[in-house]
Amino acid sequence: ISLIGLKAVVSVVTGSISIVAQLIDSSLDLIAVTITFFAIIVASRPADAEHPFGHGKVENLAAIAQAGLIFAAAGLVITSAIQRIMAGARIELAEAGIGIMLVSISVSIFLSRHLLKVARATDSLALEGNAHNIAADVYSAGAVLAGLVAVRFSGLNILDPIIALGVSVPIVKSGYDVLHKSFGGLVDVKLPEAEETMIEETIIAHGEVVSFHELRTRKVGSQRHIDLHLVMPREASVDEAHRICDQLEQE
């Protein structure tokens, strides 16, 4: 919120379209964070009668919404940059823009790293999308900073909208990555090969099981679902088979 306020003031003072692009991006970040906040609250609810597999896919939906916001930000940046190139507007007080970009980069680095750390610890797709979204701000703010420095010392105002166009590229890439990963959970893509191999090795290492087949896996939010068919020893009773299944689930 503080970054949004600072960028709004500096964008008016300087007239820089690249800072306006940063303002739009930060505003969408705030919306994305709000979406993530409520999505995680819903996704953390336990399974119930109506949702026997839990509410984890709400995180995927939140991440898709974030991807949409990222693409919207890129579109606004591109449109504004093209309009500025055609209008040939000038930048005033580039020093103020340089200062706010340094602050923005510092804050974004800290925030994105912290979000990614928590996302990995909690295996949250929504938080991971947020982390990548804000990490993209670091690169875009760096490009804007370089552009403002170039304008300050060269006087070539055309560099500002050109750099704003360049900023849109990593923004689009970030949106694509978040969208691709989010759809995987919605259409029940299997777990990564390394995780499935770990599951198979665990079953094989369990000496009381004859074999297994029809292994199926998927991920819902931060939860992994596994089902398979076990082949039990011919002489095993129902009680023994049940005990083996319980042990295998724990392993």
Side-chain angles (χ1 to χ4, degrees):
I1 292 172
S2 299
L3 283 177
I4 290 170
L6 287 171
K7 289 177 182 178
V9 172
V10 175
S11 64
V12 172
V13 172
T14 63
S16 169
I17 185 60
S18 56
I19 295 180
V20 171
Q22 280 286 300
L23 171 62
I24 293 169
D25 199 19
S26 293
S27 299
L28 292 175
D29 285 346
L30 179 60
I31 297 172
V33 169
T34 306
I35 291 172
T36 302
F37 177 74
F38 288 106
I40 290 175
I41 289 175
V42 176
S44 63
R45 292 175 182 170
D48 53 34
E50 192 174 353
H51 305 91
F53 290 99
H55 302 78
K57 286 193 177 182
V58 171
E59 286 205 33
N60 297 77
L61 295 173
I64 288 173
Q66 287 185 48
L69 290 172
I70 294 171
F71 287 132
L76 288 170
V77 170
I78 292 169
T79 302
S80 299
I82 292 173
Q83 289 175 347
R84 185 57 61 93
I85 290 172
M86 295 173 66
R90 293 180 56 82
I91 292 179
E92 305 293 339
L93 297 174
E95 295 84 356
I98 291 170
I100 192 60
M101 284 301 101
L102 288 171
V103 173
S104 179
I105 289 170
S106 301
V107 172
S108 296
I109 288 173
F110 171 78
L111 185 56
S112 63
R113 286 184 176 180
H114 181 66
L115 279 171
L116 195 57
K117 179 181 177 181
V118 177
R120 287 171 177 168
T122 59
D123 199 18
S124 170
L125 183 61
L127 271 182
E128 185 181 339
N130 236 162
H132 288 305
N133 189 3
I134 294 173
D137 293 350
V138 176
Y139 301 106
S140 61
V144 171
L145 175 63
L148 290 171
V149 170
V151 170
R152 171 66 180 81
F153 291 102
S154 70
L156 295 173
N157 288 278
I158 189 69
L159 291 175
D160 181 54
I162 289 175
I163 287 175
L165 286 173
V167 165
S168 66
V169 176
I171 295 176
V172 171
K173 174 64 166 58
S174 175
Y176 172 79
D177 290 342
V178 172
L179 192 64
H180 182 265
K181 194 165 188 179
S182 303
F183 270 123
L186 289 177
V187 297
D188 291 333
V189 172
K190 72 174 187 174
L191 294 179
E193 202 66 40
E195 292 189 18
E196 285 208 343
T197 299
M198 192 184 303
I199 294 166
E200 292 169 355
E201 289 175 350
T202 302
I203 300 169
I204 294 169
H206 195 95
E208 296 178 281
V209 176
V210 175
S211 65
F212 71 96
H213 52 271
E214 298 293 331
L215 172 63
R216 299 189 302 175
T217 63
R218 64 176 179 144
K219 188 178 180 184
V220 179
S222 61
Q223 296 181 337
R224 290 158 176 77
H225 294 270
I226 306 163
D227 71 73
L228 57 119
H229 296 178
L230 285 176
V231 179
M232 294 293 180
R234 187 183 301 274
E235 66 278 4
S237 66
V238 174
D239 283 344
E240 288 173 323
H242 188 74
R243 176 184 58 78
I244 292 170
C245 287
D246 285 345
Q247 288 180 352
L248 196 55
E249 283 178 22
Q250 291 297 320
E251 292 170 10

